[in-house]
């Protein structure tokens, strides 16, 4: 597995990968495996320190305090029913347009070039998928994908903050592993947060990974 040499060198990269792995587990749908995932995150936090561990720990504590059914209901209401809280990164850059299929191909291609198959049960641009890829497969390619979609991730974090969601600290921890947002990034995030993703294009061609419901009935709200 390759390691980056930038942003503080090997140690910083390893710390970022711990953040990405923990975040990918926390941002997954809270099914019956949630308690085991939270235990794994606690183990990862034992190797982290500082603000990142504190942020991720907030989400862990909030999820442990909730009944399983309540956690699942809140997850669906947050990520599936609120358009501004979608974790499908290309949904922000391309919306439900023909361009979105092309953009998702870029994710799938990055996975294949790293020697792994794109996920079958989830779209390749789902934030939790990208985080797991960056943490466990190819941190260099994963960081590139995350950095290129920094603005959608920032918009998601802001929407979660507005909703007072327990998932906001986790997304904030992910943002802290990426290069600082430029003034242009900030302005673009503000425009996206206000206007939403691009509108549907005429003649939209089908693509088998475009906003597939990860659970029956689940999809970004409109």
């Amino acid at each position: 597995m390759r390691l980056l040499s930038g942003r503080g060198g090997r140690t910083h990269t390893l710390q970022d990968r711990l953040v990405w792995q923990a975040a990918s587990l926390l941002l997954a749908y809270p099914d019956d495996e949630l308690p085991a995932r939270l235990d794994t995150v606690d183990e990862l936090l034992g190797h982290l320190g500082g603000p990142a561990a504190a942020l991720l720990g907030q989400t862990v504590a909030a999820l442990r305090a909730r009944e399983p059914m309540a956690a699942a209901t809140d997850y669906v209401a947050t990520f599936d029913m609120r358009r501004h809280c979608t974790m499908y990164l290309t949904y922000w850059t391309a919306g439900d347009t023909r361009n979105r299929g092309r953009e998702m191909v870029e994710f799938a291609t990055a996975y294949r070039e790293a020697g792994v198959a794109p996920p079958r049960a989830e779209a390749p641009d789902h934030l939790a998928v990208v985080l797991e890829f960056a943490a466990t497969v190819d941190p260099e390619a994963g960081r590139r994908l995350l950095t290129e979609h920094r603005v959608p991730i920032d918009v998601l974090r802001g929407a979660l903050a507005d909703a007072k969601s327990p998932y906001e600290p986790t997304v904030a921890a992910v943002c802290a592993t990426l290069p600082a947002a430029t003034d242009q990034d900030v302005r673009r995030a503000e425009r996206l947060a206000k206007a939403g993703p691009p509108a549907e294009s005429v003649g939209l061609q089908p693509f088998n990974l475009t906003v597939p419901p990860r659970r029956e009935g689940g999809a970004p709200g409109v």
Side-chain angles (χ1 to χ4, degrees), residues 79-157:
F79 295 114
D80 290 351
M81 306 306 294
R82 295 181 181 182
R83 183 177 63 171
H84 283 68
C85 291
T86 180
M87 282 195 279
Y88 295 103
L89 299 180
T90 65
Y91 189 72
W92 278 109
T93 56
D96 279 330
T97 71
R98 69 189 70 188
N99 293 329
R100 185 158 184 249
R102 290 195 294 269
E103 291 191 15
M104 282 202 289
V105 167
E106 294 180 8
F107 284 84
T109 299
Y111 300 159
R112 292 191 181 97
E113 289 179 346
V116 296
R120 294 183 178 180
E122 185 55 273
D125 65 328
H126 191 277
L127 179 56
V129 172
V130 182
L131 289 168
E132 183 173 3
F133 170 75
T136 65
V137 179
D138 190 329
E140 183 175 0
R143 187 188 297 278
R144 175 178 58 79
L145 290 172
L146 291 168
T147 301
E148 289 175 353
H149 293 81
R150 169 63 189 260
V151 170
I153 296 173
D154 278 336
V155 174
L156 170 62
R157 188 208 59 76

Side-chain angles (χ1 to χ4, degrees), residues 157-176:
R157 188 208 59 76
L160 292 173
D162 290 343
K164 296 181 172 54
S165 169
Y167 294 102
E168 186 273 336
T170 289
V171 178
V174 171
C175 289

